[in-house]
Amino acid sequence: MSKQNRRNFMKKTALGSIGLASVSSMAMSAKSYRNIIGANDRLNVAIAGLGRRLGAFYEPIALKESNVRLLYLCDAKLDQMDKAATKFAEHITYKPKLQQDIFKVLDDKEVDVLINAMPDHWHTPGTIMAMKSGKHVYVEKPSSCTMEENELLVEATEHYGKVVQMGNQQRSSGHTQEVIKKIHDGIIGEAYKAVAFYSNRRGNVPLQQKAAIPEGLDWNLWQGPAVHREYTSETWNYNWHWYGWNYGTAELGNNATHELDVARWALNVDYPQMVEVESAKRHFVDDGWEMYDTMLARFIFENNKQIEWDGKSRNGFNTYGSGRGVIIYGTEGSVFVNRGVHRIYDRRGELIEESKGTSNEAGVALGGGGNMSTTHVMNFFDTIRGKASANAPIDDANISMAMVHYANVSSRIGQNFEIDSKKGTMFNRDAMQHWGKPYEDSWKKKFMEL
């Protein structure tokens, strides 16, 4: 992509709004309106990627008020489709088609919406290919694997005029929306710092060994745009997250995406000016985990604001009294917020308000879903119909994604670096070597050319 296109992208994404009034330019442009489906029309949906996030989509697809029909269940592994069909049979009274080949799904003009829940390396390429085929896309986090994918995805969204929403579902949490508005209205004075955190008890990960491709798995299709290699045991079933950067984005992309997004939303900031990272593999040092499992990161923003990330993938000690969440500090008080509750404290540390949400969303457990995900998906459907504004439009969501990429890059090169807070580029030659990532050559034209 040319430097001019990169500058244009950065200029556009820097304008992304934050908070309850956030309205994506792609959702409200004239071109987008030409693609909006009538408010009374049914949306035909396909789900690609039928792993642990599948449970997030049962309810929003089954609810009568969603007015959608599930046309396809798609996965590169055959038994994943069979299992998903069995699960959906508990929620809907008709049978969706089972299709292993994602391209046959994309070629079907009856499909209006793709829910992209494939592995990380498929998120940006699959979303762009879906838009090329005329589909709106709900893409699970992380929406991108690199800063280059960030710009490609936003550029494609504007080019095709489609609605794209990322699965950072806490943006649709009622109690979180409530407390963010109060922060912006000054309940704790000027918010100046946020600490986002995550603690889990992930265990030993098997060492990779060459193995036979599991029965029913189209390994080449599963790898898709990633650089292709021989199959190794334990790869396709979740451990791809930790087996290098070809497929995954480490714990930052896997989970920090959520909390960093809430922190940035609360502080009302865009790109940082500096990233500082200390990270290492601290546990099971001889196992198959190839990335950091422990990280402390700090992002410095304009007006002396900062966000810290405390991530412990394999140490379950709840440093902050919860497995995940965000603490926001202000000149006149503090806020604690996670998926289930928010608490507001005055400057002396006295509790002045507590509000428990109605969310049954999973915390640190694998997979799941819940009413927060349901609300988020339904907001996406309503945005397509022109009845709502996206709570997590991709131009804004990808600014939060940039924080993930900056910290991952800093960890990989072992250097802290400054960032252009207007354009998002990294003031470090070694860092810029990781602006993009390698792809399988035969796949590049499928998504890199609009």
Side-chain angles (χ1 to χ4, degrees):
M1 181 169 288
S2 70
K3 291 182 179 180
Q4 183 62 42
N5 283 342
R6 181 171 294 167
R7 286 194 294 269
N8 289 341
F9 159 77
M10 292 302 178
K11 181 178 179 181
K12 292 171 184 174
T13 54
L15 297 175
S17 57
I18 302 172
L20 300 178
S22 178
V23 178
S24 165
S25 60
M26 60 86 184
M28 300 305 293
S29 68
K31 184 172 183 179
S32 181
Y33 274 120
R34 292 197 295 271
N35 289 281
I36 285 177
I37 295 174
N40 295 318
D41 291 343
R42 184 175 65 192
L43 295 170
N44 291 322
V45 177
I47 304 177
L50 306 175
R52 290 175 173 84
R53 279 297 290 167
L54 186 67
F57 309 115
Y58 300 148
E59 188 173 47
I61 285 175
L63 285 172
K64 182 178 180 181
E65 52 265 43
S66 293
N67 193 22
V68 302
R69 186 173 183 85
L70 181 61
L71 288 192
Y72 286 99
L73 291 169
C74 177
D75 197 279
K77 197 167 189 296
L78 292 176
D79 63 0
Q80 290 284 88
M81 292 188 289
D82 294 332
K83 293 175 184 177
T86 299
K87 287 290 187 181
F88 260 105
E90 301 172 8
H91 302 273
I92 58 178
T93 59
Y94 58 90
K95 293 183 178 180
K97 301 174 186 177
L98 306 184
Q99 176 54 256
Q100 188 176 30
D101 188 345
I102 180 64
F103 292 102
K104 291 183 178 179
V105 174
L106 296 182
D107 286 343
D108 190 334
K109 301 303 181 184
E110 290 189 18
V111 176
D112 303 305
V113 169
L114 176 71
I115 293 177
N116 184 351
M118 295 181 282
D120 293 6
H121 64 281
W122 264 100
H123 286 185
T124 288
T127 298
I128 292 175
M129 286 187 276
M131 284 190 284
K132 283 186 175 184
S133 299
K135 285 93 171 92
H136 304 277
V137 184
Y138 181 97
V139 57
E140 277 294 353
K141 57 77 194 165
S143 55
S144 60
C145 292
T146 63
M147 286 300 293
E148 181 180 48
E149 288 192 350
N150 252 15
E151 65 181 22
L152 287 169
L153 185 51
V154 173
E155 185 178 74
T157 303
E158 295 184 348
H159 179 80
Y160 293 108
K162 295 298 179 182
V163 176
V164 178
Q165 175 138 297
M166 186 169 81
N168 46 342
Q169 61 267 24
Q170 199 165 342
R171 286 280 180 147
S172 291
S173 159
H175 84 88
T176 306
Q177 292 173 337
E178 176 188 348
V179 77
I180 295 295
K181 185 177 187 304
K182 289 181 177 181
I183 292 170
H184 290 175
D185 289 343
I187 196 168
I188 58 170
E190 180 70 17
Y192 61 85
K193 177 180 176 179
V195 177
F197 60 89
Y198 177 84
S199 299
N200 206 341
R201 297 177 290 179
R202 304 189 193 280
N204 190 295
V205 170
L207 291 166
Q208 293 188 73
Q209 297 180 2
K210 290 183 180 180
I213 297 171
E215 183 179 355
L217 174 65
D218 187 330
W219 174 233
N220 285 334
L221 185 60
W222 188 95
Q223 294 186 95
V227 176
H228 287 203
R229 63 167 176 82
E230 291 185 62
Y231 184 76
T232 56
S233 61
E234 306 297 333
T235 294
W236 82 271
N237 190 15
Y238 200 79
N239 279 335
W240 56 264
H241 283 91
W242 324 120
Y243 288 161
W245 300 97
N246 196 29
Y247 309 126
T249 52
E251 199 72 89
L252 276 163
N254 194 36
N255 274 294
T257 307
H258 295 291
E259 274 66 43
L260 289 176
D261 181 60
V262 173
R264 188 180 71 83
W265 185 16
L267 264 57
N268 204 10
V269 292
D270 288 329
Y271 294 109
Q273 296 176 319
M274 167 75 77
V275 60
E276 301 172 350
V277 170
E278 186 282 318
S279 64
K281 179 181 175 180
R282 303 289 189 186
H283 308 279
F284 307 103
V285 294
D286 295 323
D287 75 348
W289 188 296
E290 297 180 9
M291 300 161 164
Y292 60 85
D293 57 17
T294 306
M295 176 183 282
L296 292 172
R298 185 167 67 144
F299 305 88
I300 307 299
F301 297 84
E302 292 179 348
N303 300 317
N304 202 27
K305 294 185 178 184
Q306 61 181 280
I307 293 173
E308 294 181 359
W309 167 250
D310 186 348
K312 302 189 298 294
S313 298
R314 303 204 276 185
N315 184 326
F317 180 69
N318 289 336
T319 308
Y320 307 94
S322 175
R324 67 189 313 162
V326 182
I327 301 168
I328 302 101
Y329 298 96
T331 55
E332 301 302 326
S334 307
V335 166
F336 171 89
V337 58
N338 65 14
R339 295 179 173 187
V341 66
H342 76 252
R343 302 185 185 98
I344 303 176
Y345 300 86
D346 64 19
R347 188 171 51 80
R348 297 175 300 169
E350 299 292 332
L351 180 68
I352 60 175
E353 178 181 307
E354 180 176 31
S355 178
K356 294 183 179 180
T358 59
S359 172
N360 57 3
E361 201 79 10
V364 297
L366 288 178
N371 52 12
M372 191 186 300
S373 288
T374 296
T375 302
H376 202 52
V377 175
M378 292 182 72
N379 167 254
F380 166 67
F381 292 153
D382 284 343
T383 301
I384 294 171
R385 296 186 173 104
K387 296 168 62 178
S389 299
N391 287 339
I394 203 63
D395 55 352
D396 183 63
N398 272 13
I399 298 177
S400 295
M401 282 305 314
M403 296 172 65
V404 168
H405 303 322
Y406 296 146
N408 272 340
V409 170
S410 178
S411 176
R412 294 176 72 178
I413 67 174
Q415 300 174 46
N416 304 326
F417 51 83
E418 294 182 346
I419 297 156
D420 187 322
S421 62
K422 302 301 181 185
K423 299 178 181 178
T425 48
M426 301 174 283
F427 292 135
N428 182 293
R429 183 175 298 176
D430 294 334
M432 288 300 292
Q433 294 299 311
H434 295 284
W435 183 265
K437 60 177 287 188
Y439 299 102
E440 188 70 11
D441 286 341
S442 63
W443 283 73
K444 290 182 180 179
K445 288 185 178 181
K446 298 179 189 294
F447 64 92
M448 295 193 78
E449 296 179 6
L450 301 184

